[in-house]
Amino acid sequence: MSGDLAIGIHDLSVATAQYVLTHETLAARHGADVAKYHTGIGQRSMSIPAADEDIVTMAAAAAAPVIARHGAERIRTIAFATETSVDQAKAAGIHVHSLLGLPTTTRVVELKQACYSATAALQFAIGLVHRDPSQQILVIASDVSRYDLASRGEATQGAAAVAMLVGADPALVRIEEPSGVFTADIMDFWRPNYRTTALVDGYESISAYLQAVEVVWKDYTERGGRSLEEFRAFCYHQPFTKMAYKAHRHLLQHCGHDADDAGISRAVEHTTTYNQVIGNSYTASIYVALASLLDHAEDLTGEAIGFLSYGSGSVAEFFAGTVVPGYRSQLRTDMHREAISRRLDIDYDTYRELHQRPTPVDGGEHPLPRQTTGPYRLAGLSQHKRIYTPR
Ligand code: CAA
């Protein structure tokens, strides 16, 4: 906790994309054994955005129910975390601010560091609330994970957005001090400004992630953090859900603990329910994992949860949260399940067409086909401007 003041996540809402590509379809196309995906990386399907969806439309869909429940009067800042930026200069959160009709007396900023930046946004929000506990901060994480067709990373794509309302006296999870942090200059995953798909050294990225687990844990414990036994569950960044199991096994072994399968499952399995069907949502994924845990685990009141946020490049952070009494009445479990079940199944050719759809760069008028049935859409591009509308 920050001093005596409890600060943390007051509301948590997840949205995802219009379409879904199953790993059965992917396996059939590539002549792969589907067990490699289902068992080997722990993935069943991945969300694929429609032509008129992107990080902004998903973010607005995630944030709208938060505003509907709590109002916008106390929100002074929107911190939008993403790897999938839509503009080099303008913060994507300004489009969300406009779509949701939020007050002009708001600051909006975008944060980037691969899959880590939502955690930076959360810590930034906590700092602001500590300065003025009457304020609430809307933290949004929204990403579309995209690798080249037929590349090794293709099976680990996905898309989702999370909106979190951060404030004093939170209804869901109090975020504690200290944090353990890590940075090292590693080229395990990156995306130059001229590319729409990420470059990755897959095996290097897994070992960089595991190295970061060791360093953040050491830093966390040296700063007076909790001991491993105190945690009921662990939310890891999940590029694919098997990674959470790998990371937790590594942490247990590193600390000299038994790494039995049953214990590892107890600690992470409920965090993977959404991500295994949504796929990698980069910076949103750890908070999708939190939503999944809160929605599926038995009563967690008063329990400590560990958060391991990893973003290639690389930056990582470990911190703890405590689940607040009464949290269950605030959950959006039905809405989250509906966001997943409403997606339309697409075949490989439809997915490939969406994947390869070029972004117009000529500044002309480019209306986009009406595909999404979500609440907001990217209606088109006009004179290099993205036009967002309610659907
Ligand atoms: N049945 C069951 N399991 C099988 C199998 C089968 N028929 N065939 C293979 N497997 C298992 C393998 O044994 C392996 O498991 P282990 O890792 O536990 O040994 C697993 O399935 C994957 O098999 P491969 O290593 O052969 O798979 P691959 O060559 O396709 O690569 C990958 C896997 C490296 C994760 C690749 O998908 C990739 O590059 N993904 C993108 C990068 C990524 O997600 N990195 C994660 C860390 S970085 C990060 O977290 C940031 C981020 O979001 C990008």
Side-chain angles (χ1 to χ4, degrees), residues 33 35-36 39-41 115 147 152-153 156 189 200 202-203 205-206 209 237 239-240 242 246 280 282 310 312:
D33 181 354
K36 171 175 169 175
T39 315
I41 60 170
C115 310
Y147 296 96
R152 185 174 270 156
T156 61
F189 164 103
V200 67
Y203 297 126
S205 71
I206 293 171
Y209 186 138
H237 164 55
F240 49 94
K242 186 83 172 289
K246 275 185 196 291
N280 194 358
Y282 291 160
Y310 176 76
S312 292

Side-chain angles (χ1 to χ4, degrees), residues 88-106:
Q88 298 277 30
K90 184 177 174 117
I94 299 176
H95 295 297
V96 176
H97 175 272
S98 169
L99 282 171
L100 300 184
L102 299 181
T104 46
T105 48
T106 310

Side-chain angles (χ1 to χ4, degrees), residues 38-97:
H38 288 176
T39 315
I41 60 170
Q43 290 305 124
R44 316 291 303 189
S45 60
M46 48 205 194
S47 288
I48 307 290
D52 54 348
E53 289 181 319
D54 67 6
I55 54 161
V56 170
T57 61
M58 290 192 299
V66 174
I67 305 298
R69 183 185 281 177
H70 301 280
E73 295 74 29
R74 293 174 60 192
I75 296 176
R76 295 279 294 167
T77 301
I78 300 174
F80 192 117
T82 187
E83 183 270 3
T84 327
S85 197
V86 293
D87 194 281
Q88 298 277 30
K90 184 177 174 117
I94 299 176
H95 295 297
V96 176
H97 175 272

